Amino acid sequence: MADNFNFELVSPERLLLSEKVSEVVIPATEGEMTVMAHHAPTMTTIKPGVVSVKLASGQVTKYVVFGGFADIVPSGCTLLAESAVALSDLNRETLTKRIEAARAELNAVEGHEHKTRLEQYLAELTHLNGVLIPA
């Protein structure tokens, strides 16, 4: 049986989860990443995606995050999300509003580097919209 470790999912609005868990899968910018107890110390940025949390009880809960970063140490993981919501609370209207806001910001931006980041963010949101909330 896997060892448990402390996991916290925090957004600017609130603490979404603070539990002992056996495994967390996070959408790191460089690819999906599984975190378990005794993980090597790592800091990574997070892209919009799903965080899958396996609680010590064995129950799996899922959250959607919209960017941020994770701080991983051998004894735990803290994910500081720009924004996050339980997957069960997500709806098409919420994602559509985020996509429209990103498009509006993209149309107004002039710097190439910022424009590239916004295009990537918009692509990730659009992908989430198609995967999480099928037509």
Side-chain angles (χ1 to χ4, degrees), residues 115-128:
K115 185 173 186 171
T116 300
R117 283 195 309 267
L118 277 171
E119 287 171 340
Q120 180 65 35
Y121 182 72
L122 183 58
E124 291 160 352
L125 285 179
T126 303
H127 175 74
L128 267 180

Side-chain angles (χ1 to χ4, degrees), residues 3-131:
D3 289 342
N4 296 323
F5 63 98
N6 297 317
F7 174 69
E8 288 191 339
L9 175 57
V10 183
S11 74
E13 299 86 30
R14 64 188 172 117
L15 174 67
L16 284 99
L17 183 68
S18 181
E19 294 279 339
K20 287 277 191 185
V21 303
S22 61
E23 177 181 307
V24 178
V25 179
I26 59 175
T29 305
E30 297 299 318
E32 203 168 77
M33 181 177 185
T34 300
V35 179
M36 298 179 83
H38 314 294
H39 195 288
T42 306
M43 275 194 119
T44 185
T45 53
I46 302 297
K47 66 181 182 179
V50 177
V51 175
S52 180
V53 182
K54 186 173 185 181
L55 301 173
S57 66
Q59 176 187 359
V60 175
T61 58
K62 295 186 178 189
Y63 299 86
V64 177
V65 294
F66 299 96
F69 70 92
D71 182 20
I72 304 163
V73 295
S75 61
C77 174
T78 301
L79 196 158
L80 301 170
E82 290 175 16
S83 180
V85 63
L87 179 60
S88 58
D89 294 340
L90 188 69
N91 59 45
R92 183 169 300 281
E93 182 181 338
T94 302
L95 273 176
T96 300
K97 284 181 182 177
R98 287 183 182 272
I99 289 169
E100 289 171 359
R103 281 189 181 132
E105 187 176 349
L106 182 60
N107 290 334
V109 75
E110 292 183 17
H112 292 294
E113 186 177 319
H114 187 65
K115 185 173 186 171
T116 300
R117 283 195 309 267
L118 277 171
E119 287 171 340
Q120 180 65 35
Y121 182 72
L122 183 58
E124 291 160 352
L125 285 179
T126 303
H127 175 74
L128 267 180
N129 193 35
V131 171

